[in-house]
């Protein structure tokens, strides 16, 4: 019997998305049904090739779908996300990975149609992981809300309940980019589908060090070399833009919260409301009332690094046991 978890990844790759996708592909318990691309970190013509690069790099046959080129409220207005939005991820959106790509796995289905088709095929079995803005998910809900209620779970990288935002004082980037989309997802699905937010409260509680990335580069073969390459540009940006030495790899941490739930040190049940007024636009606010989402508040650094290394270079278990022993 196939016991693998069926996974859909919605993403805007993105350096940390890239790390997350590599981890998800390495997880033997995951059956990744598709990678759905959305404009966010960069425009769709930049992020989609990055997803294709990663499936080629790992020689996998995972369909990659094109999704929304702009936020929900801009659809039909002829506006598309420009390629100069966020420089954090470098001109190619993936830290100068230098990887080739082909259209081998490019699907001709739109992201939201693919999502709906897979949920109909596997009702109540699919775990959706979102690592970018929620535009594709909102579009799928607008098309067929009843089918979307048959997701098994949704895990969203996004938001911040207690910590300051990283895009405005209140908002984290993914939610800020398309707050209307996130509002639809929470309002329409949170009462029926288990929803988790891995926001800045959780991700910023764990900083990956230069040494840890270097170890992967030295010992992790081609995969480790790629990670070291793309993360050195990411860490450089963290230092020069935020004065943070090391890397908070948001999307990777989100995937690891699913592959290895022991990395979650603290979580909370909250009633989440998405703020849409100008000042607080994109804020995920905990309000009074019956909790509708789970929020990851703290991550265990040692456990996370161990889990990541085990996924990226399982053949080096002895070394990992020595350097990052199980608690
Ligand atoms: C999120 O924003 C993006 O820049 C990252 O890829 C991550 O998904 C962090 O705020
Ligand atoms: Ca992302």
């Amino acid at each position: 019997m196939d016991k693998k978890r069926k996974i859909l990844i919605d993403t805007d790759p993105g350096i940390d998305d890239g790390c997350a996708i590599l981890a998800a592909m390495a997880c033997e318990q995951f059956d990744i049904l598709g990678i759905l691309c959305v404009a966010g970190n960069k425009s769709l013509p930049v992020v989609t090739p990055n997803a294709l690069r990663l499936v080629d790099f790992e020689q996998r046959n995972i369909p990659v779908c094109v999704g929304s080129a702009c936020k929900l409220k801009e659809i039909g207005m002829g506006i598309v996300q420009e390629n100069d939005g966020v420089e954090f991820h470098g001109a190619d959106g993936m830290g100068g990975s230098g990887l080739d790509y082909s259209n081998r796995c490019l699907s001709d289905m739109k992201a939201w149609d693919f999502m709906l088709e897979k949920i109909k095929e596997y009702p109540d079995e699919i775990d959706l992981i979102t690592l970018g803005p929620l535009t594709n998910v909102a579009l799928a809900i607008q098309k067929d809300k009843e089918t979307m209620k048959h997701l098994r779970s949704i895990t969203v990288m996004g938001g911040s309940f207690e910590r300051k935002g990283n895009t405005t004082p209140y908002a984290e980037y993914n939610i800020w980019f398309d707050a209307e989309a996130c509002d639809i997802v929470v309002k329409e699905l949170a009462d029926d589908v288990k929803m988790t937010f891995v926001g800045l409260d959780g991700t910023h509680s764990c900083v990956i060090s230069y040494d840890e990335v270097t170890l992967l580069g030295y010992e992790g073969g081609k995969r480790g070399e790629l990670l070291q390459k793309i993360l050195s540009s990411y860490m450089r940006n963290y230092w020069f833009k935020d004065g943070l030495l090391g890397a908070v790899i948001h999307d990777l941490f989100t995937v690891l919260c699913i592959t290895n739930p022991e990395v979650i040190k603290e979580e909370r049940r909250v009633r989440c409301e998405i703020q849409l007024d100008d000042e607080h636009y994109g804020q995920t606010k905990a309000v009074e009332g019956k909790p509708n989402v789970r929020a990851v508040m703290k991550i265990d650094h040692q456990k996370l690094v161990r889990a990541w290394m085990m996924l990226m270079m399982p053949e080096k278990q002895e070394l990992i046991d020595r350097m990052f022993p199980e608690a």
Side-chain angles (χ1 to χ4, degrees), residues 87 141 232 302:
E87 285 315 320
I141 293 171
S232 61
Q302 169 98 355

Side-chain angles (χ1 to χ4, degrees), residues 17 23 48 56 66 69 74 81 88 99 122 133 144 154-155 159 166 171 189 205 254 263 277-278 324:
D17 302 73
T48 309
D56 277 0
V66 169
E74 292 176 346
Q81 154 82 358
F88 213 90
L99 294 176
Y122 303 110
D144 184 350
I154 307 179
T155 302
N166 62 1
L189 295 189
S205 68
T254 303
V263 307
D277 62 284
D278 285 352
F324 308 101

Side-chain angles (χ1 to χ4, degrees), residues 12 16-17 41 89 131-132 157 166 172-174 200 250-251:
D12 60 338
D16 56 335
D17 302 73
N41 281 322
H89 298 264
L131 307 174
M157 189 287 123
N166 62 1
E172 177 280 332
Y173 184 77
N174 288 340
L200 302 180
H250 311 275
D251 296 340

Side-chain angles (χ1 to χ4, degrees), residues 12-14 38-47 50 69 81-94 173 177:
D12 60 338
V38 67
N41 281 322
K42 289 280 182 181
S43 66
L44 212 47
V46 174
V47 299
N50 285 337
Q81 154 82 358
E82 297 286 344
N83 184 19
D84 56 4
V86 176
E87 285 315 320
F88 213 90
H89 298 264
D92 67 347
M94 222 168 50
Y173 184 77
F177 188 88

Side-chain angles (χ1 to χ4, degrees), residues 264-278:
I264 301 172
K265 204 160 148 187
E266 190 187 312
E267 62 183 39
R268 195 172 295 169
R269 304 274 320 160
V270 295
R271 179 144 202 99
C272 172
E273 202 180 84
I274 308 302
Q275 305 301 297
L276 299 175
D277 62 284
D278 285 352

Side-chain angles (χ1 to χ4, degrees), residues 105-167:
C105 289
L106 187 63
S107 162
D108 55 9
M109 283 181 82
K110 287 289 190 186
W112 45 89
D113 289 330
F114 188 90
M115 204 181 296
L116 290 167
E117 185 181 275
K118 289 294 163 196
I119 300 169
K120 282 181 191 150
E121 197 176 336
Y122 303 110
D124 307 311
E125 281 189 56
I126 296 179
D127 297 306
L128 170 65
I129 306 173
T130 70
L131 307 174
L134 287 142
T135 322
N136 290 340
V137 188
L139 284 165
I141 293 171
Q142 287 181 337
K143 205 160 177 186
D144 184 350
K145 183 167 85 179
E146 288 313 307
T147 295
M148 289 299 282
K149 287 184 182 169
H150 288 282
L151 278 165
R152 191 169 88 125
S153 73
I154 307 179
T155 302
V156 173
M157 189 287 123
S160 195
F161 289 95
E162 289 179 357
R163 220 190 130 85
K164 183 168 154 287
N166 62 1
T167 304

